[in-house]
Coordinates of all heavy atoms in Angstrom, one line a residue:
S1 N 0.9 -1.2 0.0 CA 0.0 0.0 0.0 C 0.9 1.2 0.0 O 2.0 1.2 0.5 CB -0.9 0.0 1.2 OG -0.2 0.1 2.4
N2 N 0.4 2.3 -0.6 CA 1.1 3.5 -0.7 C 1.0 4.4 0.5 O -0.1 4.8 0.8 CB 0.6 4.3 -2.0 CG 1.4 5.5 -2.3 OD1 2.1 6.0 -1.4 ND2 1.2 6.0 -3.5
P3 N 2.1 4.6 1.2 CA 1.9 5.4 2.5 C 1.4 6.8 2.2 O 0.7 7.4 3.0 CB 3.3 5.4 3.1 CG 4.2 4.9 2.1 CD 3.4 4.1 1.1
L4 N 1.8 7.4 1.1 CA 1.3 8.8 0.7 C -0.2 8.8 0.5 O -0.9 9.7 1.1 CB 2.0 9.2 -0.6 CG 1.6 10.6 -1.1 CD1 2.0 11.7 0.0 CD2 2.2 10.9 -2.4
H5 N -0.7 7.7 -0.1 CA -2.2 7.7 -0.3 C -2.9 7.6 1.1 O -3.9 8.2 1.3 CB -2.6 6.4 -1.1 CG -4.0 6.4 -1.4 ND1 -4.7 7.3 -2.2 CD2 -4.9 5.4 -1.0 CE1 -6.0 6.9 -2.2 NE2 -6.1 5.8 -1.5
Q6 N -2.3 6.8 2.0 CA -2.9 6.7 3.4 C -2.9 8.1 4.1 O -3.8 8.5 4.7 CB -2.1 5.7 4.2 CG -2.3 4.3 3.8 CD -1.5 3.3 4.5 OE1 -0.6 3.7 5.2 NE2 -1.9 2.0 4.5
T7 N -1.8 8.8 3.8 CA -1.7 10.2 4.4 C -2.8 11.1 3.9 O -3.5 11.8 4.6 CB -0.4 10.8 4.1 OG1 0.6 10.0 4.6 CG2 -0.3 12.2 4.8
E8 N -3.1 11.0 2.6 CA -4.2 11.8 1.9 C -5.5 11.4 2.5 O -6.3 12.3 2.7 CB -4.1 11.7 0.5 CG -2.9 12.3 -0.2 CD -2.7 11.9 -1.7 OE1 -3.4 11.0 -2.1 OE2 -1.7 12.5 -2.2
E9 N -5.8 10.1 2.7 CA -7.0 9.7 3.2 C -7.2 10.3 4.6 O -8.3 10.8 4.9 CB -7.1 8.2 3.3 CG -7.0 7.4 2.0 CD -8.4 7.3 1.3 OE1 -9.3 7.0 2.1 OE2 -8.5 7.5 0.2
W10 N -6.2 10.3 5.4 CA -6.2 10.8 6.8 C -6.5 12.3 6.8 O -7.2 12.7 7.7 CB -4.9 10.5 7.5 CG -4.7 11.0 8.8 CD1 -5.3 10.5 10.0 CD2 -3.9 12.1 9.2 NE1 -4.9 11.1 11.0 CE2 -4.1 12.2 10.7 CE3 -3.1 13.0 8.6 CZ2 -3.5 13.2 11.4 CZ3 -2.5 14.0 9.4 CH2 -2.6 14.1 10.8
L11 N -6.0 13.0 5.8 CA -6.1 14.4 5.7 C -7.6 14.8 5.3 O -7.9 16.0 5.4 CB -5.1 15.0 4.9 CG -3.7 15.1 5.4 CD1 -2.7 15.6 4.4 CD2 -3.7 16.0 6.6
L12 N -8.4 13.9 4.9 CA -9.7 14.2 4.4 C -10.8 13.9 5.4 O -12.0 13.7 5.1 CB -10.0 13.5 3.1 CG -9.2 14.0 1.9 CD1 -9.3 13.0 0.7 CD2 -9.7 15.4 1.5
I13 N -10.3 13.9 6.7 CA -11.3 13.8 7.8 C -11.4 15.2 8.4 O -10.4 15.9 8.6 CB -10.7 12.8 8.8 CG1 -10.5 11.4 8.2 CG2 -11.7 12.8 10.1 CD1 -10.9 10.2 8.8
F14 N -12.7 15.6 8.5 CA -13.0 16.9 8.9 C -13.6 17.1 10.3 O -14.4 16.2 10.6 CB -13.8 17.6 7.8 CG -13.2 17.8 6.5 CD1 -13.2 16.7 5.6 CD2 -12.5 18.9 6.1 CE1 -12.6 16.9 4.3 CE2 -11.9 19.1 4.9 CZ -11.9 18.1 4.0
G15 N -13.4 18.2 10.9 CA -14.1 18.5 12.1 C -14.5 20.0 12.2 O -13.9 20.8 11.6
L16 N -15.5 20.2 12.9 CA -16.1 21.5 13.1 C -15.9 22.0 14.5 O -16.2 21.3 15.5 CB -17.6 21.5 12.7 CG -18.4 22.7 13.0 CD1 -18.0 23.9 12.0 CD2 -19.9 22.4 12.7
D17 N -15.5 23.3 14.7 CA -15.4 23.9 16.0 C -16.8 24.2 16.5 O -17.4 25.0 15.8 CB -14.4 25.1 15.9 CG -13.9 25.5 17.3 OD1 -14.6 25.3 18.4 OD2 -12.8 26.0 17.4
S18 N -17.1 23.8 17.7 CA -18.4 24.1 18.2 C -18.5 25.5 18.7 O -19.6 26.0 19.0 CB -18.8 23.1 19.3 OG -17.9 23.2 20.3
E19 N -17.4 26.1 18.9 CA -17.4 27.5 19.4 C -17.0 28.4 18.2 O -16.2 28.1 17.4 CB -16.3 27.7 20.5 CG -16.6 26.9 21.7 CD -15.7 27.1 22.9 OE1 -14.6 27.9 22.7 OE2 -15.9 26.6 24.0
K20 N -17.6 29.6 18.3 CA -17.3 30.6 17.2 C -16.0 31.3 17.4 O -15.5 31.4 18.5 CB -18.4 31.7 17.3 CG -19.8 31.2 16.9 CD -20.8 32.4 16.9 CE -22.1 31.9 16.4 NZ -23.2 33.0 16.4
N21 N -15.3 31.7 16.3 CA -14.1 32.4 16.3 C -14.4 33.9 16.5 O -15.5 34.3 16.7 CB -13.3 32.2 15.1 CG -13.9 32.7 13.8 OD1 -14.9 33.3 13.7 ND2 -13.2 32.5 12.7
E22 N -13.4 34.7 16.4 CA -13.5 36.2 16.6 C -14.4 36.9 15.6 O -14.9 38.0 15.8 CB -12.2 36.9 16.7 CG -11.4 36.9 15.4 CD -10.5 35.6 15.2 OE1 -10.8 34.6 15.9 OE2 -9.5 35.7 14.5
H23 N -14.6 36.2 14.4 CA -15.4 36.8 13.4 C -16.9 36.2 13.5 O -17.7 36.5 12.6 CB -14.9 36.4 12.0 CG -13.5 37.0 11.8 ND1 -13.2 38.3 11.8 CD2 -12.3 36.4 11.6 CE1 -12.0 38.5 11.6 NE2 -11.4 37.4 11.5
G24 N -17.2 35.4 14.5 CA -18.5 34.8 14.6 C -18.8 33.6 13.8 O -19.9 33.2 13.6
D25 N -17.7 33.0 13.3 CA -17.9 31.8 12.5 C -17.4 30.5 13.2 O -16.6 30.6 14.1 CB -17.0 31.9 11.2 CG -17.4 33.0 10.2 OD1 -18.6 33.2 10.2 OD2 -16.5 33.6 9.6
H26 N -18.1 29.4 12.9 CA -17.6 28.1 13.3 C -16.7 27.6 12.2 O -17.2 27.4 11.0 CB -18.8 27.1 13.5 CG -19.8 27.6 14.6 ND1 -19.6 27.3 15.9 CD2 -20.9 28.3 14.5 CE1 -20.6 27.8 16.6 NE2 -21.3 28.4 15.8
L27 N -15.4 27.3 12.5 CA -14.5 26.9 11.5 C -14.4 25.4 11.3 O -14.5 24.6 12.3 CB -13.1 27.4 11.8 CG -12.9 28.9 11.7 CD1 -11.4 29.2 11.9 CD2 -13.4 29.4 10.4
V28 N -14.4 24.9 10.0 CA -14.2 23.6 9.7 C -12.6 23.4 9.5 O -12.0 24.3 8.8 CB -14.9 23.2 8.4 CG1 -14.6 21.8 7.9 CG2 -16.4 23.3 8.5
H29 N -12.1 22.3 10.0 CA -10.6 22.0 9.9 C -10.5 20.6 9.4 O -11.3 19.7 9.6 CB -10.0 22.0 11.2 CG -10.1 23.4 11.9 ND1 -9.1 24.4 11.7 CD2 -11.0 23.9 12.7 CE1 -9.4 25.5 12.4 NE2 -10.6 25.2 13.0
R30 N -9.3 20.4 8.7 CA -8.9 19.0 8.4 C -8.2 18.4 9.6 O -7.4 19.1 10.2 CB -8.0 19.0 7.2 CG -8.7 19.0 5.9 CD -7.8 18.6 4.7 NE -6.4 19.0 4.8 CZ -5.5 19.2 3.8 NH1 -6.0 19.0 2.6 NH2 -4.2 19.4 4.0
L31 N -8.4 17.1 9.9 CA -7.6 16.5 10.9 C -6.1 16.6 10.6 O -5.6 16.5 9.4 CB -8.0 14.9 10.9 CG -7.4 14.1 12.1 CD1 -8.1 14.7 13.4 CD2 -7.8 12.7 11.9
G32 N -5.3 17.0 11.6 CA -4.0 17.3 11.4 C -3.6 18.7 11.4 O -2.5 19.1 11.5
C33 N -4.6 19.6 11.3 CA -4.4 21.0 11.3 C -3.9 21.5 12.7 O -4.4 21.0 13.7 CB -5.7 21.8 10.9 SG -5.6 23.5 11.0
S34 N -3.0 22.5 12.7 CA -2.5 22.9 14.0 C -3.7 23.6 14.8 O -3.6 23.8 16.0 CB -1.4 23.9 13.8 OG -1.8 25.0 13.0
Q35 N -4.7 24.1 14.1 CA -5.8 24.8 14.7 C -7.0 23.8 15.0 O -8.1 24.4 15.4 CB -6.3 25.9 13.8 CG -5.2 26.8 13.3 CD -4.6 27.7 14.4 OE1 -5.3 28.1 15.3 NE2 -3.3 27.7 14.4
Y36 N -6.9 22.5 14.7 CA -7.9 21.5 14.9 C -8.5 21.7 16.3 O -7.7 21.7 17.3 CB -7.5 20.2 14.6 CG -8.6 19.2 14.4 CD1 -9.2 19.0 13.2 CD2 -9.0 18.3 15.5 CE1 -10.2 18.1 13.0 CE2 -10.0 17.4 15.3 CZ -10.6 17.3 14.0 OH -11.6 16.3 13.9
P37 N -9.8 21.7 16.5 CA -10.4 21.9 17.8 C -10.1 20.8 18.8 O -9.9 19.7 18.5 CB -11.9 22.0 17.6 CG -12.1 22.1 16.1 CD -10.8 21.6 15.5
H38 N -10.0 21.2 20.1 CA -9.8 20.3 21.2 C -11.0 19.3 21.1 O -12.1 19.6 20.7 CB -9.8 21.0 22.5 CG -9.4 20.1 23.6 ND1 -10.4 19.4 24.4 CD2 -8.2 19.7 24.1 CE1 -9.8 18.7 25.4 NE2 -8.5 18.9 25.2
R39 N -10.8 18.0 21.6 CA -11.8 17.0 21.5 C -13.0 17.4 22.3 O -14.2 16.9 21.9 CB -11.3 15.7 22.0 CG -10.9 15.6 23.5 CD -10.6 14.2 23.9 NE -10.1 14.1 25.3 CZ -8.8 14.1 25.7 NH1 -7.9 14.2 24.8 NH2 -8.5 14.1 26.9
D40 N -13.0 18.3 23.3 CA -14.2 18.8 24.0 C -15.0 19.7 23.2 O -16.2 20.0 23.5 CB -13.8 19.4 25.3 CG -13.1 18.5 26.2 OD1 -13.3 17.2 26.1 OD2 -12.4 19.0 27.2
K41 N -14.4 20.3 22.1 CA -15.1 21.3 21.3 C -15.4 20.9 19.9 O -16.1 21.6 19.2 CB -14.2 22.6 21.2 CG -14.0 23.2 22.6 CD -13.0 24.4 22.4 CE -12.6 25.0 23.7 NZ -11.7 26.2 23.5
V42 N -14.8 19.7 19.5 CA -15.0 19.4 18.0 C -16.3 18.6 17.8 O -16.7 17.8 18.6 CB -13.8 18.6 17.6 CG1 -13.7 17.1 18.2 CG2 -13.7 18.4 16.0
I43 N -16.9 18.9 16.7 CA -18.0 18.2 16.1 C -17.4 17.4 14.9 O -17.0 18.0 13.9 CB -19.2 19.0 15.6 CG1 -19.7 19.9 16.8 CG2 -20.3 18.3 14.9 CD1 -20.6 21.0 16.4
R44 N -17.3 16.0 15.1 CA -16.7 15.2 14.0 C -17.6 15.1 12.8 O -18.7 14.7 12.9 CB -16.3 13.9 14.6 CG -15.2 13.9 15.6 CD -14.9 12.6 16.2 NE -13.8 12.7 17.2 CZ -14.0 13.0 18.5 NH1 -15.2 13.2 18.9 NH2 -12.9 13.1 19.3
L45 N -17.1 15.6 11.7 CA -18.0 15.6 10.5 C -17.7 14.3 9.7 O -18.6 13.9 8.9 CB -17.6 16.8 9.6 CG -17.8 18.1 10.2 CD1 -17.3 19.3 9.4 CD2 -19.3 18.4 10.6
G46 N -16.6 13.7 9.8 CA -16.3 12.5 9.0 C -15.4 12.7 7.9 O -14.7 13.8 7.7
R47 N -15.4 11.8 6.9 CA -14.5 11.8 5.7 C -15.2 12.3 4.6 O -16.3 11.9 4.3 CB -13.9 10.5 5.5 CG -12.9 10.5 4.3 CD -12.4 9.1 4.0 NE -11.5 9.2 2.8 CZ -11.9 9.4 1.6 NH1 -13.1 9.5 1.3 NH2 -11.0 9.5 0.7
F48 N -14.6 13.3 3.8 CA -15.2 13.8 2.6 C -14.1 13.9 1.6 O -12.9 14.1 1.8 CB -15.8 15.2 2.8 CG -17.0 15.2 3.8 CD1 -16.8 15.4 5.1 CD2 -18.3 15.0 3.3 CE1 -17.9 15.4 6.0 CE2 -19.4 14.9 4.2 CZ -19.2 15.1 5.6
D49 N -14.6 13.9 0.3 CA -13.6 14.0 -0.8 C -13.0 15.4 -1.0 O -12.0 15.5 -1.7 CB -14.2 13.4 -2.1 CG -14.5 11.9 -2.0 OD1 -13.7 11.2 -1.4 OD2 -15.4 11.5 -2.7
N50 N -13.7 16.4 -0.5 CA -13.3 17.8 -0.7 C -13.9 18.6 0.4 O -14.8 18.2 1.1 CB -13.8 18.2 -2.1 CG -15.3 18.2 -2.2 OD1 -16.0 18.8 -1.6 ND2 -15.7 17.3 -3.1
C51 N -13.3 19.8 0.6 CA -13.7 20.7 1.6 C -15.1 21.2 1.4 O -15.8 21.5 2.4 CB -12.7 21.8 1.9 SG -12.5 22.9 0.5
E52 N -15.6 21.4 0.2 CA -16.9 21.9 0.0 C -18.0 21.0 0.6 O -19.0 21.5 1.2 CB -17.2 22.0 -1.5 CG -16.4 23.1 -2.2 CD -15.1 22.7 -2.8 OE1 -14.6 21.6 -2.4 OE2 -14.4 23.5 -3.4
D53 N -17.8 19.6 0.4 CA -18.8 18.7 1.0 C -18.8 18.8 2.5 O -19.8 18.6 3.2 CB -18.5 17.3 0.5 CG -18.8 17.1 -1.0 OD1 -19.5 18.0 -1.6 OD2 -18.5 16.1 -1.5
A54 N -17.6 19.0 3.1 CA -17.4 19.1 4.5 C -18.1 20.3 5.0 O -18.8 20.3 6.1 CB -16.0 19.1 4.9
I55 N -18.0 21.4 4.3 CA -18.6 22.7 4.7 C -20.2 22.5 4.6 O -20.9 23.0 5.5 CB -18.2 23.8 3.7 CG1 -16.7 24.2 3.9 CG2 -19.1 25.0 3.9 CD1 -16.4 25.0 5.1
A56 N -20.6 21.8 3.6 CA -22.1 21.6 3.5 C -22.6 20.8 4.7 O -23.7 21.1 5.3 CB -22.4 20.9 2.2
E57 N -21.9 19.8 5.1 CA -22.3 19.0 6.2 C -22.2 19.8 7.5 O -23.1 19.7 8.4 CB -21.4 17.8 6.4 CG -21.6 17.0 7.6 CD -23.0 16.4 7.8 OE1 -23.7 16.2 6.8 OE2 -23.4 16.2 8.9
A58 N -21.2 20.6 7.6 CA -21.1 21.5 8.8 C -22.3 22.4 9.0 O -22.7 22.6 10.2 CB -19.8 22.3 8.7
K59 N -22.9 22.8 7.9 CA -24.0 23.7 8.1 C -25.2 23.0 8.6 O -26.2 23.7 9.0 CB -24.3 24.3 6.7 CG -23.3 25.4 6.3 CD -23.5 25.9 4.8 CE -22.4 26.9 4.4 NZ -22.6 27.4 3.0
N60 N -25.2 21.7 8.6 CA -26.3 21.0 9.3 C -26.2 21.0 10.8 O -27.1 20.7 11.5 CB -26.4 19.6 8.8 CG -26.7 19.4 7.4 OD1 -27.5 20.2 6.9 ND2 -26.1 18.4 6.7
H61 N -25.0 21.4 11.3 CA -24.8 21.4 12.7 C -24.7 22.8 13.4 O -25.1 23.1 14.4 CB -23.4 20.7 13.0 CG -23.4 19.3 12.6 ND1 -23.8 18.2 13.4 CD2 -23.0 18.7 11.4 CE1 -23.7 17.1 12.7 NE2 -23.2 17.4 11.5
R62 N -24.0 23.7 12.6 CA -23.8 25.1 13.1 C -23.9 26.1 12.0 O -23.6 25.7 10.8 CB -22.4 25.3 13.8 CG -22.2 24.5 15.1 CD -23.0 25.0 16.3 NE -22.6 24.4 17.5 CZ -23.1 23.3 18.0 NH1 -23.9 22.6 17.3 NH2 -22.7 22.8 19.2
K63 N -24.2 27.3 12.3 CA -24.2 28.4 11.3 C -23.8 29.7 12.0 O -24.2 29.9 13.2 CB -25.5 28.6 10.6 CG -25.8 27.5 9.5 CD -27.2 27.7 8.9 CE -27.4 26.5 7.9 NZ -28.8 26.6 7.3
P64 N -23.1 30.6 11.4 CA -22.4 30.4 10.1 C -21.2 29.6 10.2 O -20.5 29.5 11.3 CB -22.1 31.8 9.6 CG -21.9 32.6 10.9 CD -22.8 31.9 12.0
V65 N -20.7 29.0 9.1 CA -19.5 28.2 9.1 C -18.5 28.8 8.0 O -18.9 29.5 7.1 CB -19.7 26.7 8.8 CG1 -20.6 26.1 9.9 CG2 -20.3 26.5 7.4
N66 N -17.3 28.5 8.2 CA -16.2 29.0 7.3 C -15.1 27.8 7.3 O -15.1 27.1 8.3 CB -15.7 30.3 7.7 CG -15.0 31.1 6.6 OD1 -14.7 30.5 5.5 ND2 -14.6 32.2 6.8
G67 N -14.4 27.8 6.3 CA -13.2 27.0 6.3 C -11.9 27.6 6.9 O -11.8 28.8 6.7
C68 N -11.2 26.8 7.5 CA -9.9 27.3 8.1 C -8.9 27.8 7.0 O -8.7 27.1 6.0 CB -9.2 26.1 8.8 SG -7.6 26.5 9.5
W69 N -8.4 29.0 7.2 CA -7.5 29.6 6.1 C -6.2 28.8 6.0 O -5.6 28.8 5.0 CB -7.2 31.0 6.5 CG -6.5 31.2 7.8 CD1 -7.2 31.3 9.1 CD2 -5.2 31.0 8.1 NE1 -6.3 31.4 10.1 CE2 -5.0 31.2 9.5 CE3 -4.0 30.9 7.3 CZ2 -3.7 31.2 10.1 CZ3 -2.7 30.8 8.0 CH2 -2.7 31.0 9.4
S70 N -5.9 28.1 7.1 CA -4.6 27.3 7.1 C -4.7 26.0 6.4 O -3.9 25.7 5.5 CB -4.1 27.1 8.6 OG -2.9 26.4 8.6
C71 N -5.7 25.2 6.8 CA -5.7 23.7 6.3 C -6.6 23.6 5.0 O -6.4 22.6 4.3 CB -6.1 22.8 7.4 SG -7.7 23.0 8.1
I72 N -7.6 24.4 4.9 CA -8.5 24.3 3.7 C -8.7 25.7 3.1 O -9.9 26.2 3.0 CB -9.8 23.6 3.9 CG1 -10.5 24.1 5.2 CG2 -9.5 22.0 4.1 CD1 -12.0 23.5 5.4
P73 N -7.6 26.4 2.6 CA -7.8 27.7 2.1 C -8.8 27.8 0.9 O -9.4 28.9 0.7 CB -6.4 28.1 1.6 CG -5.6 26.8 1.5 CD -6.3 25.9 2.5
L74 N -8.9 26.8 0.2 CA -9.9 26.8 -0.9 C -11.4 27.0 -0.4 O -12.2 27.6 -1.2 CB -10.0 25.5 -1.7 CG -8.8 25.2 -2.6 CD1 -8.8 23.9 -3.2 CD2 -8.8 26.2 -3.8
C75 N -11.7 26.7 0.8 CA -13.0 26.8 1.4 C -13.0 27.9 2.4 O -14.0 28.0 3.2 CB -13.5 25.5 2.0 SG -14.0 24.3 0.8
H76 N -12.0 28.8 2.4 CA -12.0 29.9 3.4 C -12.5 31.2 2.7 O -12.0 31.5 1.6 CB -10.6 30.2 3.9 CG -10.5 31.4 4.8 ND1 -11.1 31.4 6.1 CD2 -10.0 32.6 4.5 CE1 -10.9 32.7 6.5 NE2 -10.2 33.4 5.6
E77 N -13.5 31.8 3.3 CA -14.0 33.1 2.8 C -13.6 34.1 3.7 O -13.9 34.1 4.9 CB -15.6 33.0 2.6 CG -16.1 32.0 1.6 CD -17.6 32.0 1.5 OE1 -18.3 32.9 2.1 OE2 -18.1 31.0 0.9
R78 N -13.0 35.2 3.2 CA -12.6 36.3 4.0 C -13.9 37.0 4.6 O -14.8 37.2 3.9 CB -11.8 37.3 3.2 CG -10.5 36.9 2.9 CD -9.6 37.9 2.2 NE -8.2 37.5 1.9 CZ -7.9 36.9 0.8 NH1 -8.9 36.7 -0.2 NH2 -6.7 36.6 0.5
S79 N -13.8 37.3 5.8 CA -14.9 38.0 6.5 C -15.1 39.4 5.9 O -14.1 40.1 5.6 CB -14.7 38.1 8.0 OG -14.6 36.7 8.5
G80 N -16.3 39.9 5.9 CA -16.6 41.2 5.4 C -16.7 41.3 4.0 O -16.5 42.4 3.4
G81 N -16.9 40.2 3.3 CA -17.1 40.2 1.8 C -15.8 40.3 1.1 O -15.7 40.6 -0.1

């Protein structure tokens, strides 16, 4: 088995911070992110093929949500438009 492929699979597990950040958003993170929420605060979203699907699932739990600028920049929207 390819160890790189296993790493990629592991990185596609997402979690949602149950607490809002300073902008009033609940952030979605990939497992392994330095900002990943503590286990007492994380809502485990599961494995998704891309961050857009993880964001969509997160919206079923909390609103508003945003993607972490560090681990999923493709799904990060700057606050204030």
Side-chain angles (χ1 to χ4, degrees):
S1 63
N2 183 344
L4 180 62
H5 184 65
Q6 289 177 343
T7 302
E8 289 169 355
E9 296 274 316
W10 177 74
L11 285 172
L12 288 169
I13 304 224
F14 294 87
L16 173 64
D17 196 329
S18 63
E19 295 186 356
K20 291 181 178 182
N21 69 1
E22 65 272 22
H23 301 295
D25 295 326
H26 297 274
L27 289 187
V28 175
H29 300 269
R30 279 195 328 203
L31 190 62
C33 178
S34 62
Q35 310 293 315
Y36 195 84
H38 187 270
R39 65 174 178 262
D40 293 341
K41 299 179 185 177
V42 70
I43 297 166
R44 291 178 180 86
L45 299 173
R47 187 187 175 282
F48 296 92
D49 290 331
N50 56 67
C51 61
E52 291 90 351
D53 289 349
I55 293 280
E57 172 60 25
K59 289 177 179 175
N60 293 326
H61 299 272
R62 295 285 191 278
K63 286 179 183 175
V65 302
N66 199 353
C68 173
W69 60 269
S70 178
C71 63
I72 49 170
L74 286 172
C75 284
H76 175 73
E77 293 180 13
R78 287 188 180 86
S79 298

